[in-house]
Amino acid sequence: MSSRHNEIMASLQSADASHNANTKELSALSPVSRLFLEFNSIVEEIDEIKELESQAEEIDDQELLEDCRDEIVNLTSRLEPIGEKMMEAVLPKNEDDYGADAVMEIRAGTGGDEACLFCSELMDAYEKIAKAMRWKFEVLSITKTDLGGVKEAAVSISGTSGGFGGGIGDDGPSLGPYGYFKFESGVHRVQRVPVNDVRIHTSAASVAVLPAPSESSNGNEMLPQSELRIETMRASGAGGQHVNTTDSAVRITHIPTGITASIQDERSQHKNRAKAIKLISARVRDKLQADEAKERGDVKNALLGGGDRSERVRTYNYPQDRITDHRCKQSDHGIEKLLAGGGNKDGLVETFAPYLRDMERKELLASIEDQEQSTKQRPGKK
């Protein structure tokens, strides 16, 4: 690993045509190489002190002997966390976590108007987080209620990697929009007293976070035009004269899967078409990835749940001013603070994401160990 790191460094200093590919590989290898060098440096230091310890025993220098043993204990304790980071660094990674933008779909569930209001609050919180991370937050489609709530919405979050928790301490690669928000998928339940009532009501909103091609890539590569049926129609609902006179609404169907996306929010048919392509690209990509995982037999264990977006992931208890994440069994107080926290460590996502990412890494390691064990137990395998 360290030698490969040095090879790439040398090639970058020459006029190498594969500069971009090498830069990307170097970004991934640099933290691993640093950890490897640090680990070896500590091991060499321990060996040197052990030699000094032997000399202290020969001359019966008890003070030096004690100092040597204390230092060996200290250095050995530093090896374990570095070893864990090295293990984490070489675990296979989901490229979407670092390179994919996100399409987030938010829908009001049970609870009527109260669910729609909560859905709107969640969407506002996610927008604050995206802007704090300097990512682009674009509304693809939205259906609002008369009270200002949101029945359903689809938004795009795009930008370069910048999220916390890359996985190798502070020096590791940063997460992209999808990797940062993906653990928000699921059912978010809220318990509070509506403004027009005195009883506690329970409402819910569902969130689905889908990986989407980044804006720097060609989003149409996975959706050939021959597989798309694009229809235009007049927009319906409120919106002025253009609603009834202009075929601005767009509906796109992905023929092989039957997945559809309809957009009519913009006055421009061109803009609606671009948004519909972005939305259907994410939906189809998510469907194909789910089918591939099912064919491979990939099933998540009980730590993070089955990954079903109908699973309840979080409860917002307003009377107790507490948010509880049911996957990592963690709670925090100050709902308004967490919803307004943006992208900092006190925000809604980062309060629970470190625990969830740690659980995901443990699941991945357990899965690898299970596969190795299964391979060893197969008949005919030596």
Side-chain angles (χ1 to χ4, degrees):
M1 246 176 241
S2 182
S3 59
R4 177 59 180 156
H5 176 272
N6 293 334
E7 287 177 17
I8 297 173
M9 284 295 293
S11 70
L12 288 175
Q13 294 170 3
S14 64
D16 191 344
S18 60
H19 180 277
N20 289 336
N22 281 340
T23 301
K24 185 176 181 180
E25 187 177 355
L26 178 64
S27 176
L29 283 178
S30 290
V32 186
S33 179
R34 284 195 294 271
L35 289 169
F36 180 76
L37 293 174
E38 184 180 357
F39 190 91
N40 277 354
S41 176
I42 294 175
V43 170
E44 290 174 0
E45 193 173 351
I46 290 175
D47 290 340
E48 291 174 359
I49 295 176
K50 283 184 176 179
E51 290 183 11
L52 186 59
E53 180 186 26
S54 298
Q55 295 174 11
E57 288 179 343
E58 289 177 4
I59 62 176
D60 195 25
D61 188 336
Q62 293 300 317
E63 183 177 353
L64 179 59
L65 189 61
E66 186 176 344
D67 289 342
C68 288
R69 289 172 177 171
D70 289 343
E71 186 62 17
I72 289 173
V73 171
N74 178 50
L75 291 171
T76 303
S77 67
R78 289 169 54 191
L79 286 178
E80 184 176 352
I82 296 175
E84 290 178 356
K85 288 182 179 180
M86 289 175 65
M87 173 67 74
E88 176 186 320
V90 298
L91 285 175
K93 291 178 174 55
N94 183 349
E95 290 298 323
D96 284 342
D97 286 352
Y98 305 94
D101 291 337
V103 166
M104 182 182 290
E105 299 190 71
I106 309 172
R107 291 184 175 87
T110 56
D113 287 335
E114 182 63 20
C116 294
L117 290 172
F118 178 60
C119 194
S120 177
E121 292 171 31
L122 269 184
M123 184 173 166
D124 288 344
Y126 294 140
E127 182 174 9
K128 290 175 184 176
I129 293 170
K131 289 182 176 179
M133 306 301 293
R134 297 185 178 180
W135 288 330
K136 180 181 177 183
F137 186 92
E138 179 186 16
V139 177
L140 301 179
S141 67
I142 188 168
T143 303
K144 294 185 176 181
T145 67
D146 295 336
L147 296 178
V150 172
K151 283 186 178 180
E152 60 180 3
V155 303
S156 167
I157 304 173
S158 58
T160 56
S161 298
F164 303 115
I168 315 174
D170 295 331
D171 297 325
S174 298
L175 295 169
Y178 171 72
Y180 187 79
F181 282 103
K182 69 178 183 179
F183 291 117
E184 294 303 301
S185 288
V187 175
H188 297 242
R189 186 180 67 171
V190 59
Q191 297 172 317
R192 64 184 178 187
V193 179
V195 293
N196 59 350
D197 205 336
V198 295
R199 297 169 299 171
I200 295 176
H201 284 224
T202 299
S203 308
S206 65
V207 177
V209 182
L210 316 178
S214 65
E215 293 190 345
S216 60
S217 66
N218 185 356
N220 292 322
E221 287 181 359
M222 63 170 290
L223 297 179
Q225 288 294 317
S226 60
E227 295 184 358
L228 299 179
R229 182 171 64 247
I230 302 177
E231 303 167 277
T232 60
M233 61 206 75
R234 293 182 180 179
S236 60
Q241 289 185 334
H242 81 284
V243 168
N244 297 316
T245 61
T246 307
D247 288 342
S248 59
V250 175
R251 179 171 63 212
I252 300 179
T253 303
H254 183 243
I255 298 171
T257 62
I259 294 173
T260 64
S262 301
I263 302 290
Q264 66 170 30
D265 291 28
E266 300 286 348
R267 290 174 180 266
S268 164
Q269 182 188 116
H270 176 73
K271 291 182 178 179
N272 282 333
R273 178 186 173 121
K275 287 185 173 182
I277 286 178
K278 184 177 289 188
L279 180 56
I280 199 170
S281 294
R283 287 176 174 173
V284 171
R285 183 175 182 174
D286 182 65
K287 172 72 164 54
L288 296 178
Q289 288 181 342
D291 289 346
E292 289 175 1
K294 188 175 181 180
E295 287 181 9
R296 292 193 306 266
D298 292 353
V299 180
K300 292 187 177 181
N301 64 31
L303 286 178
L304 278 174
D308 190 340
R309 295 192 181 104
S310 64
E311 290 181 1
R312 185 187 67 183
V313 296
R314 206 171 285 157
T315 294
Y316 302 69
N317 188 314
Y318 274 79
Q320 298 179 17
D321 196 24
R322 183 186 69 235
I323 299 180
T324 299
D325 192 291
H326 302 290
R327 296 161 295 184
C328 60
K329 315 299 182 189
Q330 295 293 321
S331 297
D332 203 350
H333 290 83
I335 295 178
E336 297 300 333
K337 176 198 71 176
L338 292 170
L339 291 176
N344 60 39
K345 298 290 186 179
D346 296 324
L348 180 63
V349 173
E350 272 306 303
T351 294
F352 303 104
Y355 301 101
L356 297 169
R357 293 175 194 137
D358 184 56
M359 293 171 66
E360 182 183 50
R361 286 190 287 268
K362 290 178 179 177
E363 285 191 349
L364 179 57
L365 187 58
S367 174
I368 293 173
E369 291 174 347
D370 288 344
Q371 290 175 7
E372 291 178 349
Q373 189 66 26
S374 176
T375 300
K376 291 178 181 178
Q377 293 175 353
R378 285 178 190 169
K381 293 286 183 180
K382 295 183 180 179

